Structure formats: C-alpha cells, structure tokens
Amino acid sequence: MNASDLKRYDRQIILPEIGIEGQRKLNNASILVVGAGGLGSPLLLYLAGAGIGHIAIVDHDIVDESNLQRQILYNMTDIGKNKANVAVDKLRLFNPDIQYTAYPLKLSPDNAAELIGQYSLIIDGSDNFPTRYLVNDTCVALNKPLVFGSIFQFEGQVSVFNYEGGPDYRSIYPEPPLPDQLTNCGESGVIGTLPGIIGSLMANEAIKVICHFGEVLSGQLLIFNALNNNTQLFRFSTPPKKPLSNSAKNGHKTKYTSINIEDLGVWKVNNIQYQLIDVREAYEYEEYNIGGWNISLYDLNDHLNDLLPQQRLVLCCSAGTRSKIAVQLLRDKFEGLLFTLIIPSKSIQSV
C-alpha cells in the first residue's frame, strides 16, 4: 500500500477490526454485482469507497427518468444509456485506483456460471425472481458466498447465503412465486430512501465477509420497515444434508457422462431405455423444453422413489450447472447410470 492508499482508507484502517491486513483483503477482493439499479447504486459507491480491488457489474437495463428517484448513480444526462457502462464511468471518477468491469448484458443460464465463477464474492441486487434463483443456484454450484438484498414498497430484506457452509436462498424461499403473484417497483412502488438503506447494509455485509469480522447475516434474514423503523431478525437453518456415499467418503468423484441430443436419438433407435429429467423451474420448462419429466432441482429428493434405479438417468438444464448439482443429489441411487445434457437451442426438435 502506498501513501495515497493509507490516506484514502485511513478512517477504516484505524478500526482494529480492519487494520492494514483487512485493507489488503479488500484490495485483493473481486466482487460481481448483479444489478446496478436502486440497490446497486449505493452499494457500488460504498464498495468503491472501501477499496475493493475489482468490481464487476452485470446489467442489461438502460437508465430511465423514473429511475432517478432512487438510483443515485445516475442523472438526466445518463437517460438511455446502459447502467453497467454508466456505473463504471461514475465509479472510476470516484475511485480510479481500482479495477472495474462492465457486463452490459442480461445474466442468463447460458452465461451465469462463466461470469460468477470469476469472482470471489457475489452480490445480488436484482429486481426479479428468475434472476435471484439463477444467481443463488449458480453460487451454490460454484461454492461462492452471496450477499442478497431486496426491496418492496417500504420493506427491505438483507441476508448472506452459501457462506462457509451456511444456508442458501432456497432455505427460506424454496420455490419462486407463481407468475400472477409477481410484482415489481413499477407496479407496486418503492420509497426512494429504502434502496439506500438496504444497499448500504449489503455493502456492510460484503466488507464483513471479506475481512472476517463481526457477525455476518448467514442463516439470518434482516427485515427493515421504513414506515415504522421496525427491524426484525429471523434465523433459519441449513436443510439436512444427504449422507455421503461410500465412494464419496473414500474421495472418489461421482461419475457421470455428458451427452448431447444426438446421443438420445441413438438410444431411441436402439431401444435403450432412459429417464429424461429437466431440473429447471416450471416456468422455464413451460417456455421451452425437449420433453421428459420436469422436476425442479430442489424437488428431486421428494421424487427419489419415483425414479427407476436400474435405468439410465439423464439430467438436463440450460447451462449444465443445475444438472451437475442434481448428480450429487442422486449419486447414491444411480452410481454409474448418470448423464447430463445441456438443452439445445429451440430449433432442435424434442426427442
């Protein structure tokens, strides 16, 4: 650290919980922030202020005038521009000594593993349930800690998932709401100060996770109500884990084979029986599928007795992440009979 760093970060370095060593951890950390909107705006400013070494932002949205009520990174001259790109430009002016990466694209099952896999900590400031579940499931698959926040009208939530073996998002919200239950800020409204409060709390949790001090909100859901200043802290636990098989205890990796749609066609011609299980969510399956049985990843344990143990089992999803998690869940019952398949493009007909 040079003299400029010592001066810039002096107020947090003198904290015994951080010190020089903690500042080095912050400087060496890499964070991917999903969403540069209401929550992303304040948390990005505080992450840059803290000296996070590498901050990456993924957001495909553009700045709209209705955003300016709460998304404090932007102003009138930014309307119509991509949020990730504008955010990086603003943060460089604020702290030019750290690395920034903008991903002006939509996080999807096709790119989630590649993007999330590059960073040591993930922060989810998205505003929709499909993205939240995608981020969570990818972090679980790649063993990445996840700082989470959400806002609705006057209420905000903060937690830390998948931290040092702790529970994940599905521990408290196992399944997404039905389509007719979905709402967003555009439909229900949100007080402009709320994302500032919740975003700041998210940044605070990120700093604690990186520097390893204080009590991290792992296994805890903090809920803040801006109407009455009421704060509640709910505790939740990790779901019971399935015992390891003998092969796993002995250090052997679970065996599976990656196949493609053509392999299924060959099996069908040769009358080879197999079970095709699509482990995506129901809304994804309804949008497009290649047939088979739709059992969401986190419902698999409830359907173990419905699967034939002596028949090949093909687990498919959009990017391969969830099917590989499913392999671990099913390794005891289907050792040697497990296959994974990435769902091909919509132009491929069902098998």
Side-chain angles (χ1 to χ4, degrees), residues 10 79 110 137 141 161 173 266 294 300 320:
D10 171 71
I79 292 175
D110 296 325
D137 294 350
F161 298 125
Y173 300 114
V266 172
N294 178 219
L300 270 179

Side-chain angles (χ1 to χ4, degrees), residues 78-122:
D78 301 319
I79 292 175
K81 300 176 183 177
N82 172 261
K83 290 181 180 179
N85 287 330
V86 174
V88 163
D89 291 340
K90 299 291 180 70
L91 295 173
R92 281 202 179 104
L93 294 174
F94 181 55
N95 189 347
D97 297 327
I98 57 182
Q99 180 182 353
Y100 301 97
T101 301
Y103 296 106
L105 48 82
K106 183 176 182 179
L107 191 75
S108 72
D110 296 325
N111 60 30
E114 180 182 357
L115 291 177
I116 289 174
Q118 300 177 56
Y119 300 92
S120 57
L121 176 64
I122 311 304

Side-chain angles (χ1 to χ4, degrees), residues 25 31 65-66 126 132 144 199 238 268 298 301 308 310:
K25 291 178 180 178
I31 294 180
E65 188 171 359
S66 64
S126 62
R132 289 173 188 168
K144 301 286 185 179
T238 306
K268 191 171 183 180
Y298 284 81
N301 277 329
L308 301 176
Q310 302 303 320

Side-chain angles (χ1 to χ4, degrees), residues 162-329:
N162 204 45
Y163 176 66
E164 296 184 344
D168 67 303
Y169 183 64
R170 288 184 184 267
S171 299
I172 47 175
Y173 300 114
E175 297 296 333
L178 297 173
D180 60 356
Q181 298 174 324
L182 299 177
T183 57
N184 55 46
C185 293
E187 298 172 348
S188 58
V190 62
I191 186 72
T193 52
L194 183 62
I197 296 168
I198 301 302
S200 298
L201 289 171
M202 294 167 69
N204 190 57
E205 290 303 301
I207 293 171
K208 290 194 296 181
V209 167
I210 293 168
C211 295
H212 298 284
F213 69 85
E215 182 178 355
V216 174
L217 284 174
S218 176
Q220 303 177 74
L221 181 69
L222 186 151
I223 300 179
F224 173 76
N225 190 313
L227 277 175
N228 54 22
N229 294 313
N230 182 37
T231 301
Q232 297 175 293
L233 192 63
F234 294 97
R235 297 185 181 274
F236 57 96
S237 59
T238 306
K241 292 185 178 180
K242 198 168 180 278
L244 290 175
S245 63
N246 290 332
S247 62
K249 290 177 182 177
N250 293 330
H252 300 301
K253 293 183 179 180
T254 303
K255 294 182 179 179
Y256 68 91
T257 303
S258 296
I259 61 172
N260 54 43
I261 196 75
E262 288 77 17
D263 292 319
L264 292 187
V266 172
W267 290 1
K268 191 171 183 180
V269 170
N270 293 309
N271 293 318
I272 297 175
Q273 299 299 310
Y274 63 89
Q275 305 163 91
L276 177 63
I277 308 298
D278 190 322
V279 296
R280 299 175 301 159
E281 299 295 335
Y283 72 89
E284 296 175 277
Y285 182 82
E286 291 172 3
E287 181 180 354
Y288 172 66
N289 65 79
I290 58 169
W293 187 8
N294 178 219
I295 306 177
S296 172
L297 173 62
Y298 284 81
D299 287 334
L300 270 179
N301 277 329
D302 297 332
H303 292 276
L304 289 180
N305 294 331
D306 299 326
L307 304 176
L308 301 176
Q310 302 303 320
Q311 195 174 96
R312 296 182 181 187
L313 182 62
V314 181
L315 302 157
C316 67
C317 65
S318 301
T321 302
R322 282 173 281 185
S323 59
K324 289 177 182 177
I325 301 174
V327 164
Q328 302 304 316
L329 296 175

Side-chain angles (χ1 to χ4, degrees), residues 36-37 59-68 70-71 74-75 78-87 104-105 127:
D59 198 324
H60 71 291
D61 199 10
I62 62 172
V63 179
D64 184 82
E65 188 171 359
S66 64
N67 300 149
L68 303 183
R70 64 200 177 281
Q71 299 183 19
Y74 312 115
N75 56 47
D78 301 319
I79 292 175
K81 300 176 183 177
N82 172 261
K83 290 181 180 179
N85 287 330
V86 174
L105 48 82
D127 61 357

